[in-house]
Structures are given as structure tokens and as C-alpha cells.
Amino acid sequence: MKIEKLAISEVLLITPPRFQDNRGFFSETYNAQRLKEVGIDLPFVQDNQSLSVQKGVVRGLHCQLGPYEQGKLVRCTQGSIWDVAIDARTGSPTYGKWVAAELSADNWSQLWIPPGFLHGFCTLTENVMVQYKCTNLYNKVSERAVLWNCKEIGIKWPIAVNDAILSEKDMQNPSFSAAKNWFSYS
């Protein structure tokens, strides 16, 4: 596995190798021992999958509060997305900063988003399938979100505001200032 640290060093871009022949390919997409070697030593307890049929679908920016905070290992198995992680750990030197990576069925990359980060993505193509492993179970009471285009964060999305397709729920999310003290940096 190729593992790269992004501008926020706790967020990792992980690209598993694909072994191709005339039948197709094989890829080991998850290896607990290899990820433990780079500091991802949390158990994955839930797998999620989403399908977005339109280009420009924005999902996020989501997280869960403790004790249900989640780390996520995100991959795109059909189409492509622009995946974003925002540091929401109060006291962190990168608090309020964001990093992003394009994940696609073609580049086969995955993004590790640690607990204490907000997560969201935008579909770059139609019929996008996203799968992600979570380090904690979903808990509705602990669910929190921030507005996807919050000016406090300043994410440079690859889509015009008027072209974004959001759920009613995500359109009502508060600004990043609501996230103060959701997580602490240790």
C-alpha cells in the first residue's frame, strides 16, 4: 500500500495496489497490520455505502461526538468524488483547516479521516458509489454537522454553490463556530 500524509498529517491518502491481468484485477483494500504500522490502530465496526446518482451531490460536513466519534476509511468504487476532512479538534495546530483528495474507481485511493474531524464529499461524476469503514457505530444523538460551504472554513469546492445538490437536512447545518469544543486535541 502506498501511504501519503497530507497537509494535515493525521489525514492519510492510502492507495492499495491492483494486480491486473486479462481477467480483471485483484486488490487488498484493507490490511489491519499495515495500517497499524502507520498509526491507524482502531477497530472498524461498521461499513457504510452510498450511491449518488447525480454529479454535484454534496454530503456533509458530518461527524459524531464522543463517546461515538468515528474515524473513517473512505473509498470510491464507482465514479469519482472530491473528499474533504476538516480538523475540528479544539486546541489543534490545524484546527479549522481542511484537506481534500480526489478518490475514484480509477485511482483506487482511500482517505483516512481520524476521529475529531468533519467529513464531506462532492460527486464529480454521475452514479457514484462510496464505501467507508467506521471505527464506531452510528449514534443519532451524537450526530453533528457543519454547513458545507461555511465561509469560516473556506473550502474550495469543485462545484458552484448553485449547482450543489444537498439534502434538506444538510442545507440547515450551522457554521463552523458551532463546532467549538466538540472535540479536544490531545
mmCIF file of all heavy atoms in Angstrom, residues 123-143:
data_model
loop_
_atom_site.group_PDB
_atom_site.id
_atom_site.type_symbol
_atom_site.label_atom_id
_atom_site.label_comp_id
_atom_site.label_asym_id
_atom_site.label_seq_id
_atom_site.Cartn_x
_atom_site.Cartn_y
_atom_site.Cartn_z
ATOM 1 N N THR A 123 -19.730 14.770 -5.399
ATOM 2 C CA THR A 123 -19.572 13.854 -6.529
ATOM 3 C C THR A 123 -19.107 14.622 -7.765
ATOM 4 O O THR A 123 -19.608 15.700 -8.074
ATOM 5 C CB THR A 123 -20.883 13.108 -6.832
ATOM 6 O OG1 THR A 123 -21.905 14.052 -7.162
ATOM 7 C CG2 THR A 123 -21.328 12.278 -5.645
ATOM 8 N N LEU A 124 -18.143 14.055 -8.460
ATOM 9 C CA LEU A 124 -17.580 14.667 -9.660
ATOM 10 C C LEU A 124 -18.144 14.050 -10.933
ATOM 11 O O LEU A 124 -17.909 14.564 -12.027
ATOM 12 C CB LEU A 124 -16.050 14.534 -9.648
ATOM 13 C CG LEU A 124 -15.355 15.174 -8.443
ATOM 14 C CD1 LEU A 124 -13.863 14.844 -8.460
ATOM 15 C CD2 LEU A 124 -15.592 16.674 -8.418
ATOM 16 N N THR A 125 -18.854 12.941 -10.779
ATOM 17 C CA THR A 125 -19.463 12.238 -11.902
ATOM 18 C C THR A 125 -20.858 11.782 -11.482
ATOM 19 O O THR A 125 -21.244 11.924 -10.327
ATOM 20 C CB THR A 125 -18.632 10.996 -12.309
ATOM 21 O OG1 THR A 125 -18.574 10.107 -11.185
ATOM 22 C CG2 THR A 125 -17.227 11.379 -12.760
ATOM 23 N N GLU A 126 -21.583 11.214 -12.402
ATOM 24 C CA GLU A 126 -22.873 10.603 -12.084
ATOM 25 C C GLU A 126 -22.653 9.180 -11.584
ATOM 26 O O GLU A 126 -21.607 8.575 -11.842
ATOM 27 C CB GLU A 126 -23.758 10.576 -13.327
ATOM 28 C CG GLU A 126 -24.162 11.958 -13.803
ATOM 29 C CD GLU A 126 -25.036 11.927 -15.042
ATOM 30 O OE1 GLU A 126 -25.090 10.879 -15.734
ATOM 31 O OE2 GLU A 126 -25.668 12.954 -15.326
ATOM 32 N N ASN A 127 -23.650 8.647 -10.897
ATOM 33 C CA ASN A 127 -23.650 7.258 -10.426
ATOM 34 C C ASN A 127 -22.386 6.907 -9.642
ATOM 35 O O ASN A 127 -21.614 6.042 -10.045
ATOM 36 C CB ASN A 127 -23.866 6.296 -11.595
ATOM 37 C CG ASN A 127 -25.213 6.522 -12.235
ATOM 38 O OD1 ASN A 127 -26.229 6.613 -11.537
ATOM 39 N ND2 ASN A 127 -25.240 6.642 -13.548
ATOM 40 N N VAL A 128 -22.235 7.594 -8.533
ATOM 41 C CA VAL A 128 -21.046 7.442 -7.691
ATOM 42 C C VAL A 128 -21.355 6.528 -6.511
ATOM 43 O O VAL A 128 -22.325 6.733 -5.787
ATOM 44 C CB VAL A 128 -20.568 8.820 -7.188
ATOM 45 C CG1 VAL A 128 -19.439 8.666 -6.188
ATOM 46 C CG2 VAL A 128 -20.138 9.688 -8.363
ATOM 47 N N MET A 129 -20.490 5.536 -6.315
ATOM 48 C CA MET A 129 -20.608 4.620 -5.188
ATOM 49 C C MET A 129 -19.445 4.899 -4.237
ATOM 50 O O MET A 129 -18.279 4.846 -4.643
ATOM 51 C CB MET A 129 -20.531 3.171 -5.671
ATOM 52 C CG MET A 129 -20.882 2.157 -4.638
ATOM 53 S SD MET A 129 -22.663 1.962 -4.397
ATOM 54 C CE MET A 129 -23.169 1.331 -5.982
ATOM 55 N N VAL A 130 -19.787 5.213 -2.984
ATOM 56 C CA VAL A 130 -18.791 5.480 -1.949
ATOM 57 C C VAL A 130 -18.990 4.456 -0.844
ATOM 58 O O VAL A 130 -20.119 4.193 -0.421
ATOM 59 C CB VAL A 130 -18.927 6.912 -1.390
ATOM 60 C CG1 VAL A 130 -17.981 7.148 -0.223
ATOM 61 C CG2 VAL A 130 -18.672 7.932 -2.499
ATOM 62 N N GLN A 131 -17.873 3.893 -0.392
ATOM 63 C CA GLN A 131 -17.897 2.938 0.710
ATOM 64 C C GLN A 131 -16.920 3.412 1.766
ATOM 65 O O GLN A 131 -15.841 3.916 1.430
ATOM 66 C CB GLN A 131 -17.506 1.549 0.222
ATOM 67 C CG GLN A 131 -18.446 1.008 -0.822
ATOM 68 C CD GLN A 131 -17.991 -0.311 -1.389
ATOM 69 O OE1 GLN A 131 -16.811 -0.621 -1.407
ATOM 70 N NE2 GLN A 131 -18.940 -1.107 -1.866
ATOM 71 N N TYR A 132 -17.300 3.274 3.032
ATOM 72 C CA TYR A 132 -16.349 3.635 4.080
ATOM 73 C C TYR A 132 -16.534 2.798 5.325
ATOM 74 O O TYR A 132 -17.621 2.383 5.671
ATOM 75 C CB TYR A 132 -16.372 5.126 4.390
ATOM 76 C CG TYR A 132 -17.696 5.742 4.742
ATOM 77 C CD1 TYR A 132 -18.045 5.998 6.062
ATOM 78 C CD2 TYR A 132 -18.599 6.100 3.742
ATOM 79 C CE1 TYR A 132 -19.251 6.592 6.380
ATOM 80 C CE2 TYR A 132 -19.806 6.698 4.058
ATOM 81 C CZ TYR A 132 -20.131 6.935 5.378
ATOM 82 O OH TYR A 132 -21.326 7.513 5.690
ATOM 83 N N LYS A 133 -15.391 2.532 5.936
ATOM 84 C CA LYS A 133 -15.326 1.794 7.176
ATOM 85 C C LYS A 133 -15.307 2.803 8.315
ATOM 86 O O LYS A 133 -14.655 3.836 8.206
ATOM 87 C CB LYS A 133 -14.055 0.942 7.228
ATOM 88 C CG LYS A 133 -13.922 -0.028 6.065
ATOM 89 C CD LYS A 133 -12.652 -0.825 6.130
ATOM 90 C CE LYS A 133 -12.843 -2.160 6.766
ATOM 91 N NZ LYS A 133 -13.971 -2.952 6.362
ATOM 92 N N CYS A 134 -16.012 2.508 9.410
ATOM 93 C CA CYS A 134 -16.090 3.416 10.562
ATOM 94 C C CYS A 134 -15.563 2.724 11.811
ATOM 95 O O CYS A 134 -15.773 1.530 12.008
ATOM 96 C CB CYS A 134 -17.534 3.838 10.814
ATOM 97 S SG CYS A 134 -18.283 4.724 9.442
ATOM 98 N N THR A 135 -14.921 3.515 12.667
ATOM 99 C CA THR A 135 -14.356 2.982 13.901
ATOM 100 C C THR A 135 -15.343 2.991 15.065
ATOM 101 O O THR A 135 -14.992 2.575 16.164
ATOM 102 C CB THR A 135 -13.099 3.761 14.310
ATOM 103 O OG1 THR A 135 -13.462 5.128 14.556
ATOM 104 C CG2 THR A 135 -12.029 3.672 13.240
ATOM 105 N N ASN A 136 -16.538 3.481 14.838
ATOM 106 C CA ASN A 136 -17.566 3.457 15.868
ATOM 107 C C ASN A 136 -18.925 3.326 15.185
ATOM 108 O O ASN A 136 -19.067 3.672 14.014
ATOM 109 C CB ASN A 136 -17.519 4.720 16.732
ATOM 110 C CG ASN A 136 -17.930 4.458 18.170
ATOM 111 O OD1 ASN A 136 -18.730 3.567 18.444
ATOM 112 N ND2 ASN A 136 -17.393 5.237 19.091
ATOM 113 N N LEU A 137 -19.896 2.865 15.944
ATOM 114 C CA LEU A 137 -21.240 2.701 15.404
ATOM 115 C C LEU A 137 -21.942 4.049 15.274
ATOM 116 O O LEU A 137 -21.651 4.988 16.025
ATOM 117 C CB LEU A 137 -22.057 1.780 16.315
ATOM 118 C CG LEU A 137 -21.513 0.359 16.485
ATOM 119 C CD1 LEU A 137 -22.322 -0.396 17.526
ATOM 120 C CD2 LEU A 137 -21.510 -0.377 15.154
ATOM 121 N N TYR A 138 -22.865 4.127 14.339
ATOM 122 C CA TYR A 138 -23.669 5.341 14.177
ATOM 123 C C TYR A 138 -24.531 5.543 15.417
ATOM 124 O O TYR A 138 -25.139 4.605 15.934
ATOM 125 C CB TYR A 138 -24.555 5.230 12.940
ATOM 126 C CG TYR A 138 -25.550 6.357 12.833
ATOM 127 C CD1 TYR A 138 -25.129 7.622 12.446
ATOM 128 C CD2 TYR A 138 -26.887 6.170 13.148
ATOM 129 C CE1 TYR A 138 -26.036 8.678 12.361
ATOM 130 C CE2 TYR A 138 -27.798 7.206 13.061
ATOM 131 C CZ TYR A 138 -27.364 8.463 12.668
ATOM 132 O OH TYR A 138 -28.246 9.501 12.598
ATOM 133 N N ASN A 139 -24.592 6.794 15.879
ATOM 134 C CA ASN A 139 -25.430 7.159 17.014
ATOM 135 C C ASN A 139 -26.114 8.472 16.688
ATOM 136 O O ASN A 139 -25.448 9.513 16.616
ATOM 137 C CB ASN A 139 -24.590 7.277 18.284
ATOM 138 C CG ASN A 139 -25.425 7.640 19.486
ATOM 139 O OD1 ASN A 139 -25.701 8.812 19.719
ATOM 140 N ND2 ASN A 139 -25.839 6.643 20.233
ATOM 141 N N LYS A 140 -27.407 8.433 16.460
ATOM 142 C CA LYS A 140 -28.161 9.613 16.019
ATOM 143 C C LYS A 140 -28.038 10.787 16.980
ATOM 144 O O LYS A 140 -27.894 11.928 16.551
ATOM 145 C CB LYS A 140 -29.634 9.248 15.817
ATOM 146 C CG LYS A 140 -30.453 10.383 15.223
ATOM 147 C CD LYS A 140 -31.839 9.908 14.832
ATOM 148 C CE LYS A 140 -32.668 10.994 14.208
ATOM 149 N NZ LYS A 140 -32.118 11.617 13.025
ATOM 150 N N VAL A 141 -28.059 10.549 18.276
ATOM 151 C CA VAL A 141 -27.981 11.622 19.269
ATOM 152 C C VAL A 141 -26.627 12.345 19.200
ATOM 153 O O VAL A 141 -26.543 13.545 19.452
ATOM 154 C CB VAL A 141 -28.247 11.061 20.689
ATOM 155 C CG1 VAL A 141 -28.041 12.120 21.759
ATOM 156 C CG2 VAL A 141 -29.652 10.486 20.768
ATOM 157 N N SER A 142 -25.581 11.620 18.827
ATOM 158 C CA SER A 142 -24.228 12.197 18.757
ATOM 159 C C SER A 142 -23.915 12.849 17.416
ATOM 160 O O SER A 142 -22.850 13.439 17.249
ATOM 161 C CB SER A 142 -23.195 11.109 19.040
ATOM 162 O OG SER A 142 -23.372 10.608 20.339
ATOM 163 N N GLU A 143 -24.803 12.711 16.450
ATOM 164 C CA GLU A 143 -24.572 13.243 15.105
ATOM 165 C C GLU A 143 -24.526 14.773 15.124
ATOM 166 O O GLU A 143 -25.360 15.425 15.742
ATOM 167 C CB GLU A 143 -25.691 12.768 14.182
ATOM 168 C CG GLU A 143 -25.535 13.189 12.752
ATOM 169 C CD GLU A 143 -26.693 12.705 11.892
ATOM 170 O OE1 GLU A 143 -27.826 12.590 12.392
ATOM 171 O OE2 GLU A 143 -26.445 12.448 10.707
#
